[in-house]
Amino acid sequence: METVELKVEMVGIHEKRLRKCLSKLRGIEKVEVDAYSQKVVVTTAAGYLHRNKLLKAIKRGGLKADFWSPQNELLSAYASASYGSLIRFNNFNF
């Protein structure tokens, strides 16, 4: 088994569209979607499906996708930390 981590821009109903694009490919065993951090983990049968074909299928479905990198992990952690501080900062009582 091989796992491929992807960063996919998802808003609203894009998860359903993503799963539909991936259902057309053979060799996919499991798809895990984390809409909050826009991370998709696809588990494939070893040597059956190439990473670039997976990315091409998602882009063909009209979604913006790229391979997940450690930089994306840092950006999502920073965004969640700053968003949390903004919520606390803007909590005024008038």
Side-chain angles (χ1 to χ4, degrees), residues 24-39:
K24 296 177 183 178
L25 299 174
R26 285 189 289 161
I28 294 179
E29 295 180 2
K30 185 169 62 169
V31 177
E32 298 175 20
V33 179
D34 183 9
Y36 181 71
S37 62
Q38 298 183 354
K39 182 176 183 179

Side-chain angles (χ1 to χ4, degrees), residues 7-64:
K7 177 177 174 47
V8 181
E9 289 186 21
M10 296 191 322
V11 183
I13 60 171
H14 287 179
E15 182 177 350
K16 187 174 183 178
R17 187 188 309 176
L18 172 73
R19 290 187 186 274
K20 185 176 180 180
C21 293
L22 295 177
S23 69
K24 296 177 183 178
L25 299 174
R26 285 189 289 161
I28 294 179
E29 295 180 2
K30 185 169 62 169
V31 177
E32 298 175 20
V33 179
D34 183 9
Y36 181 71
S37 62
Q38 298 183 354
K39 182 176 183 179
V40 177
V41 179
V42 180
T43 306
T44 63
Y48 195 76
L49 183 65
H50 196 268
R51 296 170 44 134
N52 290 336
K53 286 185 180 181
L54 185 66
L55 187 64
K56 188 175 180 180
I58 294 172
K59 287 184 177 181
R60 193 179 309 132
L63 298 170
K64 294 181 181 179

